[in-house]
Amino acid sequence: MGEQVRATLRDLLHLRPVRGAHRVALRAGVSVLVPLLAVLALGHPSWSVYAVFGAFTSLYGRNHVHLSRAAMQASAGAALTASIVLGVLVASLQSRAWVAVPVIAVVAALGTVLATAQDWHPPGPLFLVFALGAVASAPHPVSAVPVAAAVAGLSALFALLVGNVGSLVGRQRSRPARLAPGWTWAPVRYGLAVVLAGGTATAIGIGHPYWAMVAAVAPLSVQGVTAQLVRAAHRVLGTLLGLLTSALLLAPHLSPYATVLVVAGLQIVTELLVGRNYGLALLFITPMALLMGQLAAPRPAGQLLYDRGVETVIGAAIGGLIVLCEPWLRARIRPAGR
């Protein structure tokens, strides 16, 4: 146990080398920037939530090239678009806050199976949970479904094109798909994390329960108990420190176009850092998430910062608890599955 604690503390500050991060960062920045500028030029900043989550297609397949990356991004883009559309449908309901929790739990479980089968990188359903939760957190009419599908789908398609424009000259070898060890248990723990975190945050009445869900599933996307506990600690410490950078960027009340430029810049910096140290990247992920939300539906900055901090602590604590209790949980669930 003592060795595990020392390993966890050591990994909190470790900076890993990452090859080719600048290419991934540039692709991600362009993929986010252009769709956001497009919806602003069309006079519909409220569509930015559809555009930006479709653009997250660019975040998949950083270690893949040629058809491998294209296939991965195509499946991820389709799943993101479907999650956004489902989020609109949930958001059209009067009791959307409570309905969102089981719906997101099911999407997290199914997304885990798809992510494993397609060997997604980054692994797991985190961005599906993020997209569905963010869209479902604000009211949307059912009539917005075609717009959401079109904007998200076109944004995902643009990211797919940007991500594969250089495939003809790529030199890396593509990796075959593989099933991660223990993949049959993974959908259960992702669904459980969403239900516990989302249910807790919704019951307490905090304004953005999906932030707790995202924080709960984040530690589960890496392999190994030590790495998972480090990810949970990074999520808390990085987010709390990121609230300081968020406050500085929210204070000037930037114009929509200035906000888009800042978001694109933060996306680039995030991709440069996330493979090196997840906690450090959260100094930039946190303000990026808050600015994206302000672009679609502005809210008081103070309440946003409070919600983000409290929900992250709740979600990461639940995610860490699931990691520590996993051996016991698996032992209890396995007999029922026989």
Side-chain angles (χ1 to χ4, degrees):
M1 187 67 177
E3 180 59 33
Q4 181 174 306
V5 171
R6 286 192 293 271
T8 301
L9 293 175
R10 182 177 63 247
D11 289 349
L12 279 174
L13 301 175
H14 180 60
L15 291 175
R16 292 176 294 275
V18 178
R19 295 180 58 185
H22 62 287
R23 292 190 294 271
V24 178
L26 183 59
R27 290 196 298 264
V30 172
S31 297
V32 167
L33 177 64
V34 173
L36 287 180
L37 289 177
V39 296
L40 288 184
L42 291 171
H44 292 282
S46 61
W47 294 356
S48 60
V49 67
Y50 312 141
V52 76
F53 285 114
F56 279 5
T57 299
S58 65
L59 305 182
Y60 290 86
R62 67 160 61 224
N63 296 329
H64 295 244
V65 294
H66 304 315
L67 291 178
S68 176
R69 181 194 291 156
M72 182 186 301
Q73 291 187 338
S75 65
L80 285 167
T81 301
S83 296
I84 291 164
V85 170
L86 185 56
V88 172
L89 292 174
V90 172
S92 68
L93 303 175
Q94 196 166 16
S95 55
R96 64 179 184 276
W98 280 109
V99 173
V101 175
V103 171
I104 295 174
V106 171
V107 168
L110 295 177
T112 303
V113 176
L114 178 62
T116 304
Q118 295 291 316
D119 190 27
W120 281 2
H121 186 280
L126 186 145
F127 290 114
L128 304 184
V129 170
F130 191 9
L132 201 166
V135 174
S137 67
H140 294 259
V142 175
S143 59
V145 166
V147 171
V151 173
L154 289 172
S155 183
L157 179 59
F158 178 73
L160 180 64
L161 293 174
V162 171
N164 293 278
V165 69
S167 63
L168 294 179
V169 296
R171 295 181 179 179
Q172 290 175 291
R173 299 173 62 184
S174 60
R175 296 181 178 182
R178 55 180 173 79
L179 293 179
W183 73 275
T184 52
W185 160 251
V188 176
R189 63 176 183 168
Y190 275 112
L192 182 62
V194 167
V195 168
L196 292 178
T200 300
T202 303
I204 294 173
I206 306 174
H208 300 79
Y210 70 92
W211 283 338
M213 302 183 213
V214 171
V217 302
L220 308 181
S221 61
V222 293
Q223 294 293 324
V225 172
T226 298
Q228 290 168 345
L229 293 177
V230 168
R231 179 62 59 92
H234 273 162
R235 191 80 197 186
V236 173
L237 297 175
T239 296
L240 294 181
L241 291 174
L243 294 178
L244 300 177
T245 55
S246 300
L248 292 175
L249 290 171
L250 289 170
H253 301 286
L254 300 171
S255 69
Y257 283 99
T259 299
V260 167
L261 293 176
V262 172
V263 165
L266 290 171
Q267 182 68 74
I268 291 172
V269 177
T270 294
E271 291 307 308
L272 288 173
L273 294 175
V274 71
R276 291 180 168 86
N277 185 287
Y278 185 68
L280 187 59
L282 278 159
L283 296 178
F284 304 92
I285 293 172
T286 303
M288 179 173 62
L290 297 181
L291 286 170
M292 287 190 307
Q294 291 295 77
L295 190 62
R299 293 179 174 89
Q303 189 63 47
L304 275 179
L305 296 172
Y306 174 80
D307 288 355
R308 180 76 176 195
V310 172
E311 294 206 21
T312 296
V313 171
I314 291 172
I318 288 173
L321 188 62
I322 289 175
V323 170
L324 293 174
C325 295
E326 182 171 337
W328 180 84
L329 288 170
R330 294 180 73 164
R332 303 285 285 187
I333 292 174
R334 187 179 295 113
R338 287 178 179 172

